[in-house]
Amino acid sequence: MKPLLVAATLAAQLGAGALAQTPTPMTYANSFDAPLAGRYTQREADWRNGAIVYQVLVDRFAPSANLAAKRALYPAPKTLRGWTEEPRRGRYLEAEKLWSHEIDFWGGDLASTTARLDHVQQLGAEVLYLNPIVLAYTNHKYDALDYQQISPEYGTRDDLRRLAAEARARGLKLVLDGVFNHMGRNAPRYRAAEAEREGRVPAAGEAGSKDWFVFGPQYQGGTRTWWNAQNLPELNLELPAVRQHLWGAPDSVVRSYLRDGADGWRLDVAFDIGFRYLDELTRAAHAEKPGSLVLGEIPNYPREWFPSVDGVMHFGLRKLLIALANGTLDAPAFQRMTARMLRDADYEHLLKSWLYLDNHDTFRVATTIPDAKARRLAQVLMFTLPGAVNLYYGSEVGMEGGDDPEMRGPMRWDRVAAQHPDLAWTRQLTALRKAHRALRVGDFRSAEASGNVLAFERHTDRATDTVLVIANPGKTAIDTTVMVANSKLMDGDNLVDQLSGQVVNLQAGMVMASLPPQTVWVLKPQPSTAGGYSNYKRVQ
């Protein structure tokens, strides 16, 4: 048959203009792609998935612009420290039932935090998480006196609304810290409960509080307190009135702060609240603000905690990352344990869970992983594993700190001004995370590697979204062969490290390379040559 006749016949069969059309990438979805249609787009639409979170202790983040006017808010035995002073462990105060360092203050407030939102935004964060800000006696505010009031050292509910509005204008979400397992012993509600229990008349407006707490001779001090901390009486969550006050009623704590502009809650000691009540709280938050976040501080294995919460804090992965970086855990063991955890727990919830290397309850990462190269290895892995990244204020400028209260030092703005090298490094990592779809919302797949090498993929339904992460945690270079079980990555393809520009080649589904010590490569396929040719032209 002559060429012109062939062309005419094909045109008749396929429809006019069919020969001139250039197929779109969607034309080449294969049978494995079909079930994934829409999955990653839906994930991208949910701000909770793969977010970058910046955590702030309001008292320690930014100096108040009007500290002199606030000095009366820190009466003895409270102490107002100078911004350059470092926190040190104090003595136990029997009368207050707490440690003196719990009532050392540095004077930060919501207004000063609002004034520093540009720093949070420029760092590349997408979520601002505040440690507790409600009315409380201590500096850490985990001993609430009244959930519906802001501690006056920090400001007012109007100050919080202003902060939420300013954050929203910068594209930042706002997450608050909810401490709903216990209150402070100085809370009017607890004092009224004590009075009623002893047959005394409670303060006006506080009658009927006796059952809000659990009393009995079996408890140290006569009250069930969190881990026997006498300043922290536990709430009786079995009492419906308590749950209504905290999250059930329209004017409850959880709901009212969401209406004030908060976008979610991180729940302190959520494992103590339990599955049933966490589920109630999460449903209430979602009813008030669809798409809000409820994240649990849950060190337990995560599998069964979903969907009682949207996500958890990754205690387990933090331990594994630190052990890997410090050389006490080999790469194959890290890979097996991580893959098992990601396989066991619901992945959609794991994408909303927070990966962290330090926070207000841990040694700072510069102290935990003192070797700078090892620390950077752990940080790259944190930014490439599934989940949201939780950055602790000051770690972006290398702040150090050991046990409580050393890890809660005042923010080193002098290091920001001096452009500390860790600041540029953190910005590079946040930019990496935000630039690559697979790192934010992609699935996880282990890659098989020889030697003490960690290897995994983050991937979507698009071949060129793929990110292959290969890490050598050891202190000597290693030759490795990595089998990449991705049928769409093309033979002979160049893979480029997004941090250093290093190029490696993929042959027959394998990467064979010599990895420098304490190095992570974050490899992406190079989809076309200089001449414009692409062997991905018929692959989605």
Side-chain angles (χ1 to χ4, degrees):
M1 188 177 288
K2 294 181 179 180
L4 288 175
L5 183 58
V6 171
T9 303
L10 285 173
Q13 291 174 346
L14 299 176
L19 291 179
Q21 292 177 357
T22 300
T24 64
M26 288 299 294
T27 305
Y28 295 110
N30 64 30
S31 60
F32 292 89
D33 296 324
L36 306 179
R39 173 188 292 183
Y40 307 100
T41 302
Q42 290 174 5
R43 286 179 182 171
E44 285 180 296
D46 189 336
W47 67 270
R48 301 170 296 180
N49 290 327
I52 300 170
V53 182
Y54 189 81
Q55 176 183 353
V56 162
L57 277 169
V58 171
D59 180 62
R60 313 291 167 87
F61 182 56
S64 174
N66 195 13
L67 190 58
K70 292 173 37 176
R71 288 190 181 277
L73 298 175
Y74 308 96
K78 296 181 179 180
T79 302
L80 186 59
R81 301 288 183 181
W83 198 259
T84 58
E85 289 187 73
E86 290 296 323
R88 293 289 180 261
R89 192 160 185 84
R91 67 188 190 283
Y92 190 73
L93 304 176
E94 185 60 40
E96 282 75 21
K97 306 294 185 188
L98 47 74
W99 291 85
S100 61
H101 60 261
E102 295 182 77
I103 50 175
D104 284 344
F105 291 82
W106 272 255
D109 51 38
L110 291 172
S112 64
T113 297
T114 303
R116 294 288 189 168
L117 287 179
D118 283 347
H119 172 75
V120 180
Q121 183 182 17
Q122 291 163 9
L123 194 64
E126 300 157 320
V127 180
L128 176 67
Y129 156 47
L130 303 181
N131 282 102
I133 57 175
V134 300
L135 180 61
Y137 185 70
T138 64
N139 53 41
H140 52 70
K141 308 301 180 193
Y142 284 95
D143 57 327
L145 306 181
D146 185 339
Y147 292 111
Q148 293 287 15
Q149 294 186 56
I150 303 296
S151 247
E153 314 97 272
Y154 291 175
T156 65
R157 289 285 285 256
D158 282 341
D159 290 323
L160 178 64
R161 294 183 188 104
R162 276 190 286 273
L163 185 151
E166 290 290 337
R168 187 163 53 251
R170 289 168 170 79
L172 296 168
K173 299 291 185 180
L174 177 64
V175 173
L176 302 180
D177 204 330
V179 190
F180 303 139
N181 177 71
H182 48 262
M183 296 186 74
R185 68 187 298 271
N186 293 311
R189 182 76 68 176
Y190 179 71
R191 292 303 189 193
E194 278 191 319
E196 288 184 315
R197 178 172 172 266
E198 295 167 3
R200 295 182 284 112
V201 177
E206 300 293 348
S209 300
K210 180 170 65 71
D211 293 331
W212 277 55
F213 303 91
V214 181
F215 299 97
Q218 69 272 36
Y219 302 114
Q220 181 182 337
T223 306
R224 189 178 73 193
T225 59
W226 186 73
W227 279 93
N228 294 321
Q230 295 302 292
N231 188 43
L232 303 175
E234 288 198 321
L235 286 158
N236 179 16
L237 296 178
E238 282 65 31
L239 187 69
V242 174
R243 304 199 303 278
Q244 283 294 302
H245 176 73
L246 293 174
W247 63 75
D251 61 348
S252 65
V253 179
V254 166
R255 289 173 180 257
S256 64
Y257 279 95
L258 290 174
R259 288 197 297 275
D260 279 355
D263 298 288
W265 288 94
R266 176 265 191 194
L267 302 180
D268 181 59
V269 297
F271 54 95
D272 276 309
I273 295 173
F275 300 96
R276 174 181 173 181
Y277 298 140
L278 287 175
D279 185 70
E280 274 188 21
L281 189 158
T282 300
R283 289 174 185 273
H286 291 173
E288 182 62 46
K289 180 174 279 190
S292 56
L293 173 70
V294 177
L295 181 99
E297 183 192 27
I298 299 173
N300 309 32
Y301 197 67
R303 179 176 54 196
E304 296 180 27
W305 290 94
F306 308 135
S308 294
V309 290
D310 296 318
V312 299
M313 295 181 66
H314 264 309
F315 283 74
L317 271 179
R318 174 181 178 268
K319 284 182 110 37
L320 293 178
L321 283 168
I322 291 171
L324 179 74
N326 284 335
T328 59
L329 181 72
D330 64 32
F334 176 94
Q335 184 152 329
R336 287 194 305 272
M337 294 177 190
T338 301
R340 168 71 185 270
M341 188 184 303
L342 296 174
R343 183 172 65 247
D344 279 357
D346 182 82
Y347 194 78
E348 300 304 319
H349 288 89
L350 290 174
L351 286 173
K352 299 169 180 64
S353 297
W354 289 5
L355 297 158
Y356 70 105
L357 289 170
D358 56 358
N359 66 16
H360 62 290
D361 283 331
T362 72
F363 289 20
R364 284 191 175 270
V365 66
T367 302
T368 307
I369 311 176
D371 183 290
K373 290 192 70 175
R375 185 163 64 249
R376 289 197 168 193
L377 178 139
Q379 289 167 327
V380 174
L381 292 175
M382 177 176 70
F383 272 86
T384 54
L385 285 163
V389 174
N390 179 191
L391 299 172
Y392 185 40
Y393 81 94
S395 289
E396 74 272 26
V397 290
M399 282 179 60
E400 305 88 1
D403 205 357
D404 187 15
E406 292 177 12
M407 78 288 268
R408 301 178 184 182
M411 175 66 176
R412 292 290 302 273
W413 291 106
D414 58 317
R415 293 188 182 183
V416 176
Q419 292 295 306
H420 190 281
D422 283 358
L423 184 60
W425 170 245
T426 304
R427 287 173 176 161
Q428 185 179 4
L429 292 177
T430 60
L432 173 77
R433 177 84 166 197
K434 295 167 86 169
H436 298 291
R437 183 184 191 224
L439 294 182
R440 300 191 311 274
V441 299
D443 293 323
F444 173 92
R445 179 165 51 216
S446 285
E448 301 295 330
S450 62
N452 185 34
V453 171
L454 167 67
F456 62 88
E457 283 182 82
R458 300 293 307 282
H459 62 96
T460 72
D461 56 346
R462 300 196 301 235
T464 54
D465 282 347
T466 302
V467 174
L468 173 64
V469 179
I470 306 176
N472 171 18
K475 294 189 175 182
T476 58
I478 188 168
D479 293 331
T480 185
T481 298
V482 181
M483 185 181 78
V484 187
N486 187 329
S487 298
K488 290 183 176 181
L489 292 184
M490 290 295 175
D491 187 56
D493 205 4
N494 281 335
L495 306 176
V496 182
D497 178 27
Q498 302 302 291
L499 295 172
S500 69
Q502 173 72 40
V503 177
V504 298
N505 194 254
L506 184 74
Q507 294 283 345
M510 307 283 177
V511 170
M512 302 178 71
S514 180
L515 222 64
Q518 296 176 299
T519 295
V520 186
W521 287 342
V522 183
L523 301 167
K524 280 270 291 180
Q526 197 171 43
S528 62
T529 65
Y533 174 78
S534 173
N535 53 6
Y536 287 94
K537 59 186 177 293
R538 295 192 180 96
V539 173
Q540 177 171 296

